[in-house]
Amino acid sequence: DALGRAYLSLALPSRAEPVVTEAFELRRQAPTVAAVDLVRSRWALGRLRLVQGRLDDADQLLSEAEAGVVALGPLDPERRSISLPIRIALARATLAETRGDVVALRGHLDRARQVAPTDGVDGLRARASWLVARVGLAFLENDLEQGLAWVEEALSLRQESFGPEHPEVAQVLRLRGDVLRGLGHLRLLG
């Protein structure tokens, strides 16, 4: 499951597919799997389906993951489960952005803000992820000046929490380029 999530983070969905799918099926069929692990697998498979453009499948899996988190109640910070609710809310925000649903996007962003950790490195990373998701809202609302401010803050937070060479920083740099291009500051070559 962790390997599949790593492939997703590196934008390698074809490599993530067999790993994430198998992990989900094994956890779903196991009689003694921890509920939080099944929720995490649903979230990972939902993210994969979102990347693959299988939006209805993604919606179903992410809705089930969100319901699973609610059923679990407070999560254990020792198991790093504390970030799971914000990850699910942000994935649902990405789904809403993909569908162009501003109202749902705002709702999922609000939910992500409510469940996000606020302290320490987890708080920095959660805020950066939330800001990245807000840039999608800026694109939908054609407010790229605000989007640029959000992406610059996200870049600063990710560099502070991960270091300058991390793939999470590269993701924000790519998004920054998209925003600048949208503002007319960059031209596509070719």
Side-chain angles (χ1 to χ4, degrees):
D1 200 33
L3 179 61
R5 291 192 312 265
Y7 284 142
L8 275 172
S9 294
L10 295 171
L12 298 169
S14 62
R15 291 188 125 169
E17 171 73 33
V19 177
V20 172
T21 303
E22 181 179 4
F24 174 70
E25 287 304 322
L26 288 172
R27 285 192 172 140
R28 197 168 62 122
Q29 296 170 9
T32 59
V33 70
V36 70
D37 292 331
L38 184 56
V39 169
R40 188 176 289 115
S41 284
R42 271 197 171 87
W43 161 74
L45 188 56
R47 266 187 66 213
L48 175 63
R49 296 298 180 245
L50 180 59
V51 169
Q52 293 171 328
R54 295 172 57 181
L55 303 185
D56 291 338
D57 292 342
D59 192 19
Q60 178 70 33
L61 287 158
L62 293 171
S63 295
E64 290 171 1
E66 189 170 56
V69 163
V70 170
L72 287 172
L75 296 176
D76 181 4
E78 295 302 315
R79 294 203 59 207
R80 304 283 301 152
S81 314
I82 196 111
S83 64
L84 192 55
I86 187 173
R87 289 178 178 176
I88 293 167
L90 291 173
R92 295 201 69 202
T94 302
L95 177 63
E97 176 191 350
T98 302
R99 289 182 164 162
D101 187 341
V102 173
V103 173
L105 176 55
R106 285 183 178 280
H108 294 305
L109 287 172
D110 288 345
R111 173 75 179 138
R113 184 82 185 246
Q114 292 168 5
V115 298
T118 55
D119 297 327
V121 173
D122 286 341
L124 290 176
R125 292 177 179 174
R127 176 144 179 87
S129 295
W130 181 78
L131 287 164
V132 165
R134 287 197 57 102
V135 174
L137 182 63
F139 272 103
L140 289 176
E141 293 183 333
N142 201 25
D143 187 4
L144 294 183
E145 291 293 337
Q146 180 61 61
L148 183 59
W150 288 331
V151 83
E152 294 292 350
E153 184 180 349
L155 180 60
S156 174
L157 292 171
R158 288 226 170 133
Q159 286 174 330
E160 182 180 341
S161 64
F162 289 110
E165 302 295 322
H166 196 276
E168 295 284 336
V169 173
Q171 176 199 23
V172 178
L173 287 169
R174 185 175 52 245
L175 181 59
R176 182 175 182 257
D178 293 342
V179 172
L180 289 170
R181 189 176 307 106
L183 287 167
H185 296 300
L186 297 176
R187 286 179 287 160
L188 291 174
L189 300 176

